[in-house]
Amino acid sequence: MREVGNRRYRLVRELGRGGMGAVWLGQDTVLGRDVAVKELLLPGNVPAAERAVYQERVLREARIASQLQDPAVVTVYDLISEEEQTFIVMELIKAPTLEELVVRDGPLDVKQAATLAAQLLNALEAAHESGVVHRDVKPGNVMVPGKGTAKLTDFGIAQSIDDPRLTATGTLIGSPAYMSPERLAGGPAMPAWDLWALGATLYYAVEGKGAFDRPTTSATILAVMNERPQPRVSGPLGELITGLLEPDPQRRLGVAQAHRLIERAQHGLTGPVLTQAVKTGPVQGVPALSGLPDSGPITPAPITPAPITPAPITPAPPVVLPPAPRKRRPVALILSATLTPLFLVGALVSLYLTVFKPMFDNMGVGGLPDGPASTAAMQPVLTMGPDGDIKEDVLNMAFRNSCLNWVPAKRAPKIEPKNRVGCYGAHDTEYLDSVLANSDIEKDVPNPGAEELTKIGGTGCTRTFLSDKVTGQDKEKTLRYWVIIPTAEAWKVKTNNGYRHSDRLIYCFVGKADGSKLTEPLLKN
């Protein structure tokens, strides 16, 4: 049994191997815990004079990655360089990768994919703010636990050595199917690379296959450079994927716009529900995707991007998925082509009453939700906006990470990446819910006023607080929750780079009544 780090870490068995290294199950003999240990293995054609440069770059970027504070980032515990070998000791995630999960269970539904998108986008944003470009976002580098937040692995490790300024060999390391056109063309590293790769990863998540997977490396590269795949999923999630896969990095969807579309997708505001495929059985013919075969470094021929008319892409037939637990049956099952017009009308009425009306009611659309507007545990209502109790940018992305070291209050500080923490560690509050006060967030509609917004938000937040979604006994005495409504100024439509938006979400947070720390999640997944 090998030992590294002055015998602190025992390498028990190999968990996996790729073109850039091997991952081992390790044991930390000091702290008595299991860890993942990545052993850096450089390709054989890397010149000996450059190997030390590569290793130092890996260590430097891994040090930066170890300081990232985001629940969706795999934690780096230790860095070891001994006897000309490099090891990175990381958090051990006992979960399948997104690639394995989709092969096993089929593509994700809209809500699952939107939740995954939010978590990964937050992780990338935290990295980019720290000056780290991941460079290898792909389904095989996304771990998806049964509970908690998805984890993005290999920050600053797998692709940190892929830097044309450090080598004259022209070696391209990684999976071309998840590399942006400007990267394949030899452009400098930039955050836009990761956003494009996120779009390709989400395409795989909802389609069950890669957007650019082709039989050969050259065909894959040509597809990335010339084709514009369209996911079958429509609505905000479809717009998100298409926008992230924009070939021109200057026109590619930005982080703020991506968050807006994810927010809309999570609330099911438009068409994806109507076009969602029916989950009736196992996926047939979905290959086990692992990017391209791991045959070592890829040396592509020089590519000169030029405007080429993409070849038409024939949409694949709808994917048939296994049944998802606790989900309403998709609309496609009801709206069968064999329905008579009269039965179709009846089906639509039933659909509205059983699916859409409860959804809209919960979002505050079309009337107040049912139930009390408050309980004894509800705190005084706060306002959010440039003129509110809490500034409008304070809650940006807050609801996308459920557990926070942050408490809602007047003049509360901005939520930083370090405030977003794991739910099984000490934390102050958890995101409880959000209520959409009006679905026309791009249109100028009258503000209903603070009193009406308080009723809408209070009723929606209270209903969630009292539901079995929140665990605990005698919740009205042991817990407290906050309702944060938009101000009239925040309600107004604003235009940013041609994109119209407004803040019409009402936020709900929950914490302990005595102000003490939570040590495990209050909310069920």
Side-chain angles (χ1 to χ4, degrees), residues 246-258:
E246 164 60 43
D248 184 352
Q250 300 301 319
R251 300 174 57 190
R252 191 167 300 152
L253 203 65
V255 171
Q257 292 171 316

Side-chain angles (χ1 to χ4, degrees), residues 315-433:
V319 179
V320 180
L321 311 178
R326 300 187 301 277
K327 301 285 185 182
R328 290 189 174 91
R329 295 185 66 80
V331 179
L333 182 63
I334 301 173
L335 303 184
S336 167
T338 60
L339 291 174
T340 63
L342 182 59
F343 183 66
L344 181 60
V345 172
L348 288 170
V349 172
S350 174
L351 177 66
Y352 171 76
L353 293 175
T354 60
V355 179
F356 288 106
K357 187 176 185 300
M359 180 179 69
F360 289 152
D361 285 347
N362 189 50
M363 294 189 299
V365 179
L368 286 172
D370 296 329
S374 66
T375 69
M378 181 169 151
Q379 303 300 292
V381 173
L382 297 168
T383 59
M384 179 193 69
D387 55 341
D389 299 323
I390 299 175
K391 298 303 180 185
E392 61 181 339
D393 62 346
V394 167
L395 296 183
N396 184 32
M397 302 182 296
F399 71 99
R400 283 172 270 266
N401 289 279
S402 59
C403 297
L404 301 164
N405 275 330
W406 179 86
V407 177
K410 290 186 177 182
R411 295 178 294 280
K414 181 178 180 179
I415 297 176
E416 303 287 351
K418 64 182 180 181
N419 300 126
R420 302 195 295 267
V421 297
C423 294
Y424 286 92
H427 56 283
D428 296 317
T429 56
E430 294 183 23
Y431 160 71
L432 176 64
D433 206 348

Side-chain angles (χ1 to χ4, degrees), residues 50-392:
E50 295 180 9
R51 300 177 78 85
V53 178
Y54 286 143
Q55 290 175 328
E56 177 55 31
R57 183 173 175 83
V58 169
L59 290 172
R60 180 174 60 82
E61 293 203 8
R63 289 187 192 101
I64 297 174
S66 70
Q67 298 175 19
L68 296 179
Q69 300 292 322
D70 191 279
V73 176
V74 171
T75 303
V76 175
Y77 293 142
D78 202 357
L79 304 171
I80 300 167
S81 183
E82 57 185 24
E83 298 180 357
E84 298 184 353
Q85 287 184 297
T86 301
F87 301 87
I88 297 94
V89 183
M90 302 175 290
E91 173 186 10
L92 178 66
I93 307 296
K94 297 179 180 179
T97 65
L98 175 62
E99 179 181 318
E100 294 167 340
L101 182 68
V102 170
V103 169
R104 186 189 71 190
D105 298 337
L108 307 186
D109 63 29
V110 170
K111 188 171 182 181
Q112 290 170 331
T115 299
L116 177 67
Q119 294 169 351
L120 297 181
L121 185 59
N122 281 333
L124 291 174
E125 192 171 16
H128 296 163
E129 289 174 353
S130 298
V132 175
V133 178
H134 188 285
R135 296 180 177 91
D136 201 23
V137 179
K138 60 183 180 181
N141 276 341
V142 178
M143 311 293 289
V144 188
K147 293 183 178 181
T149 303
K151 298 280 187 177
L152 187 54
T153 67
D154 275 354
F155 260 102
I157 300 171
Q159 287 300 107
S160 64
I161 71 168
D162 182 16
D163 189 334
R165 293 169 296 179
L166 294 179
T167 179
T169 62
T171 299
L172 182 67
I173 302 170
S175 301
Y178 294 90
M179 293 182 183
S180 65
E182 72 270 18
R183 182 180 179 191
L184 290 174
M190 62 178 70
W193 285 9
D194 289 344
L195 296 179
W196 193 93
L198 174 61
T201 298
L202 294 175
Y203 185 102
Y204 174 85
V206 299
E207 294 291 332
K209 61 180 182 179
F212 306 99
D213 283 334
R214 301 294 185 271
T216 65
T217 298
S218 59
T220 297
I221 292 174
L222 287 173
V224 170
M225 300 301 290
N226 300 321
E227 295 181 4
R228 295 292 303 277
Q230 298 291 326
R232 286 190 300 272
V233 63
S234 62
L237 186 60
E239 292 178 41
L240 173 72
I241 295 172
T242 303
L244 291 174
L245 290 177
E246 164 60 43
D248 184 352
Q250 300 301 319
R251 300 174 57 190
R252 191 167 300 152
L253 203 65
V255 171
Q257 292 171 316
H259 278 310
R260 295 285 182 182
L261 289 172
I262 291 171
E263 182 178 307
R264 291 175 66 84
Q266 287 179 317
H267 285 84
L269 296 182
T270 54
V273 176
L274 294 174
T275 59
Q276 182 71 18
V278 183
K279 296 189 176 182
T280 58
V283 175
Q284 301 297 324
V286 178
L289 301 177
S290 58
L292 298 176
D294 187 9
S295 56
I298 302 164
T299 306
I303 298 172
T304 302
I308 300 175
T309 303
I313 301 173
T314 304
V319 179
V320 180
L321 311 178
R326 300 187 301 277
K327 301 285 185 182
R328 290 189 174 91
R329 295 185 66 80
V331 179
L333 182 63
I334 301 173
L335 303 184
S336 167
T338 60
L339 291 174
T340 63
L342 182 59
F343 183 66
L344 181 60
V345 172
L348 288 170
V349 172
S350 174
L351 177 66
Y352 171 76
L353 293 175
T354 60
V355 179
F356 288 106
K357 187 176 185 300
M359 180 179 69
F360 289 152
D361 285 347
N362 189 50
M363 294 189 299
V365 179
L368 286 172
D370 296 329
S374 66
T375 69
M378 181 169 151
Q379 303 300 292
V381 173
L382 297 168
T383 59
M384 179 193 69
D387 55 341
D389 299 323
I390 299 175
K391 298 303 180 185
E392 61 181 339

